[in-house]
DNA sequence: AACTCCTTGGCAGATAATGCCAATTCTGAA
DNA sequence: TTCAGAATTGGCATTATCTGCCAAGGAGTT
């Protein structure tokens, strides 16, 4: 992982479907070594996968919610159980373990308030062992980028 | 935006660099109409762009932080100023306007505690008009997916 | 039933990906 | 400084993919 690899990463974060030729041009390499570096990044796990940024409202999921959750017990088995259940819920796009009063922060997308109520009642509360749930609904997104800041190479 | 478009979206969210032929096979279309649908989704803005999921630690940004910010004043000009300044900060990958006691939720990546202190002092506090800042450091990520839940087609 | 509109599938030329090999650059040691 | 070894690069040829065009199929309407 050197400066060139970081350049490749940032170029792809800005447009992951650019052709290898364009990518090579963007980072001042010829296509061959550029592709080899890319495969290395993929094989070594630095690049986890490629995704697409979709307008959730247009797709049919107009409501985005952040949820902070605190558990009643922090023993290993309760944590394992909770995390496994969370991973299995399709509406949960992200779940992070954090410092602070809440244990977890979840990012969730739903089709509306009805769907959200159903989600909380039948998916989250169904897990059990939850001490508190704190919901914040997203009004709007000021910024959303997948491009990392440049590092002093 | 019909069921087929949603299939295309989810397939690409799972692997945005798959070839059009593979995508077509995955959604039971031939390459031609599949590509046309894809171009439609791109041109209509449903697809905002393509990105790559990179291991931030391997890249050199081992620390991820969520920050909740409340403003002192909520007049239009203060809000515009704050949002414009936030958009210009490379370390801020996401910024959402939310319900609840905090106005904004930011997702930030930094190279370490020193970098974070510099970020708060010289980027965030420099904006002015901020009533409170509440930091939560991410210990680990339980789940992170770009794939939307399927909708009743 | 006939018409129209939208979507699809196949074909062909243009474009891009990728394995191989020689040439170059870089590194470390004498 | 000089040299040897290793890693990286660039070019080429083959293979695979993309993409515009046109005719065919299907759904909905009058």
């Amino acid at each position: 992982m050197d400066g060139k690899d970081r350049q490749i990463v940032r170029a792809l974060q800005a447009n992951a479907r650019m052709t290898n030729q364009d990518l090579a041009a963007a980072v001042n390499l010829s296509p061959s070594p550029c592709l080899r570096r890319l495969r290395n990044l993929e094989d070594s796990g630095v690049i986890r996968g490629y995704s697409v940024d979709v307008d959730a409202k247009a797709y049919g999921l107009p409501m985005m919610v952040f949820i902070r959750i605190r558990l009643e017990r922090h023993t290993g088995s309760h944590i394992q159980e909770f995390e496994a259940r969370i991973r299995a819920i399709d509406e949960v796009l992200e779940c992070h373990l954090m410092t602070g009063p809440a244990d977890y922060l979840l990012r969730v997308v739903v089709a509306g308030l009805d769907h959200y109520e159903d989600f909380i009642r039948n998916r989250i509360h169904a897990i059990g062992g939850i001490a508190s749930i704190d919901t914040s609904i997203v009004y709007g997104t000021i910024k959303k980028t997948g491009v990392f800041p440049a590092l002093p190479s």
Side-chain angles (χ1 to χ4, degrees), chain A:
Chain A
M1 173 60 76
D2 56 8
K4 270 278 182 276
D5 283 336
R6 273 185 275 268
Q7 271 187 280
I8 289 173
V9 162
R10 282 204 307 282
L12 282 176
Q13 282 177 327
N15 176 15
R17 263 177 91 89
M18 78 198 305
T19 66
N20 182 57
Q21 300 200 350
D22 291 345
L23 177 62
V27 301
N28 291 314
L29 278 179
S30 70
S32 283
C34 184
L35 186 64
R36 206 156 345 148
R37 279 173 176 272
L38 181 55
R39 294 289 177 255
N40 273 345
L41 291 170
E42 290 171 348
D43 295 345
S44 66
V46 175
I47 287 180
R48 297 210 189 87
Y50 301 93
S51 192
V52 57
D53 181 20
V54 175
D55 182 333
K57 186 181 293 184
Y59 177 91
L61 296 166
M63 193 171 163
M64 184 160 111
V65 181
F66 281 95
I67 306 174
R68 287 194 298 283
I69 291 181
R70 198 161 46 82
L71 296 187
E72 285 173 351
R73 273 173 265 282
H74 298 86
T75 61
S77 67
H78 286 90
I79 290 175
Q80 294 305 315
E81 161 81 1
F82 175 81
E83 296 184 357
R85 298 281 294 262
I86 286 294
R87 266 191 285 264
I89 303 176
D90 290 340
E91 286 92 343
V92 178
L93 300 188
E94 290 178 43
C95 174
H96 303 280
L97 180 63
M98 298 196 313
T99 65
D103 296 319
Y104 295 98
L105 178 67
L106 278 64
R107 186 165 70 91
V108 171
V109 286
V110 286
L113 265 176
D114 291 353
H115 185 185
Y116 184 67
E117 184 187 349
D118 177 79
F119 168 81
I120 290 290
R121 282 181 187 272
N122 299 320
R123 309 267 163 222
I124 300 299
H125 278 142
I127 297 174
I130 292 173
S132 72
I133 296 179
D134 182 1
T135 294
S136 293
I137 299 172
V138 172
Y139 280 147
T141 294
I142 310 315
K143 178 175 186 177
K144 179 163 174 52
T145 180
V147 184
F148 287 159
L151 287 183
S153 76

